[in-house]
Amino acid sequence: MKVGFIGLGSMGLPMAQRLRSAGHELTLYARRPASLEPFTGPDVAVAATPALLGARVEAVGICVFDAAGVEEVLFGPDGIAATAAPGTVVLVHSTVSPAQIRAIAERAAGHGLRVLDAPVSGGAPRALTRELTVMIGGDAAALADVTGLLAAFSNQVVHLGDVGAASQAKLINNTLLAAQIVLADEAMTAGRSLGLDLEGLATVLLTSSSSGVGSGVRLRAGSLAAVADSPAGPTLAKDVTLMAEVLASAPGRDLVEVAQRLVTAIRGHRDPK
């Protein structure tokens, strides 16, 4: 398949590498030339603008940080929407709010583009082993057209409904992850107050029934401050904040309130004033 990819960060890079390994005809765009260094060779094309990329592909994956970045590469000057052929499938792998992705999909439809709400979960190592979970919101026919593409980096594609549903699921997932990090921190605080050996307690929690991805993040980091200072910090803060906006006063707010303790730590660490 003729595939474009934009957003070669910690998550997008291995996804694009898997697309290359799977034999798709790959075209990339990146604002920073250094992002393209892993793709030297004649089997990958590089476009100077998103528009030039859009003119070459049948589908494009976008894995930038936020909705503003998605809108820029789609609708900005030299954006994909100006040149992509009608029917082109746009997979938005970025984590955005349901309202944002619906607005993007509606605007893209005016250009004849088919947007799939397609956030991913699992981390870079699982992308390289084709074990990502991909959440999909959008038209089933559009999904069918890119099933082979998604198989390059995923073994779990879940169609959740219309555009926006996948973003809701991703925000719930990431908010739960943040809450688990906070609860693991509380578990260590409890151990400290009881005078336990904290290194031993961490080993127990990492290898017992309470173990999980979120608790592992906190326990391996050593402190909540270390998690706040990690590359995952800004992303988790963004996603929990979006989840708080989505839920407002609806049931489920308890999850957000626990997770927001991590957001407070992240913001306090990065802006001590």
Side-chain angles (χ1 to χ4, degrees):
M1 194 171 190
K2 295 179 180 180
V3 182
F5 205 93
I6 298 176
L8 301 173
S10 59
M11 194 69 253
L13 173 61
M15 292 168 67
Q17 288 173 322
R18 283 298 313 147
L19 289 169
R20 179 190 198 178
S21 297
H24 294 287
E25 189 175 327
L26 185 62
T27 301
L28 303 174
Y29 165 78
R31 284 184 289 188
R32 295 184 300 108
S35 299
L36 298 166
E37 290 176 0
F39 296 94
T40 55
D43 58 334
V44 177
V46 175
T49 66
L52 291 173
L53 179 148
R56 296 173 59 100
V57 302
E58 302 164 271
V60 57
I62 300 175
C63 197
V64 297
F65 182 68
D66 57 15
V70 176
E71 290 171 348
E72 180 182 352
V73 298
L74 276 176
F75 310 119
D78 292 320
I80 292 168
T83 57
T88 297
V89 178
V90 178
L91 292 144
V92 178
H93 299 302
S94 308
T95 302
V96 301
S97 78
Q100 288 169 332
I101 190 61
R102 290 180 191 124
I104 289 168
E106 183 176 357
R107 185 175 178 186
H111 296 273
L113 307 181
R114 298 181 291 166
V115 167
L116 288 176
D117 179 17
V120 301
S121 184
R126 287 178 61 183
L128 291 172
T129 56
R130 300 171 59 187
E131 294 179 302
L132 285 183
T133 295
V134 182
M135 293 150 265
I136 296 289
D139 180 63
L143 173 57
D145 287 345
V146 294
T147 297
L149 183 160
L150 294 172
F153 48 75
S154 171
N155 65 349
Q156 188 74 262
V157 177
V158 184
H159 189 196
L160 291 145
D162 295 334
V163 169
S167 287
Q168 290 172 333
K170 178 62 186 292
L171 290 176
I172 291 170
N173 178 80
N174 283 15
T175 302
L176 180 57
L177 172 65
Q180 289 169 341
I181 292 169
V182 171
L183 291 173
D185 188 67
E186 281 296 298
M188 294 302 288
T189 298
R192 185 179 298 109
S193 70
L194 295 171
L196 286 177
D197 172 70
L198 295 183
E199 184 176 344
L201 176 60
T203 299
V204 168
L205 298 179
L206 282 167
T207 58
S208 299
S209 57
S210 63
S211 65
V213 173
S215 59
V217 168
R218 161 57 187 86
L219 296 168
R220 292 187 179 92
S223 69
L224 205 59
V227 177
D229 192 40
S230 72
T235 298
L236 286 171
K238 169 181 70 75
D239 295 350
V240 173
T241 300
L242 288 174
M243 187 76 258
E245 295 170 357
V246 169
L247 278 178
S249 59
R253 283 288 304 186
D254 287 351
L255 174 65
V256 174
E257 289 171 6
V258 174
Q260 282 178 323
R261 289 185 49 192
L262 177 60
V263 176
T264 299
I266 291 166
R267 290 176 175 165
H269 183 83
R270 293 175 182 272
D271 184 14
K273 296 181 181 179

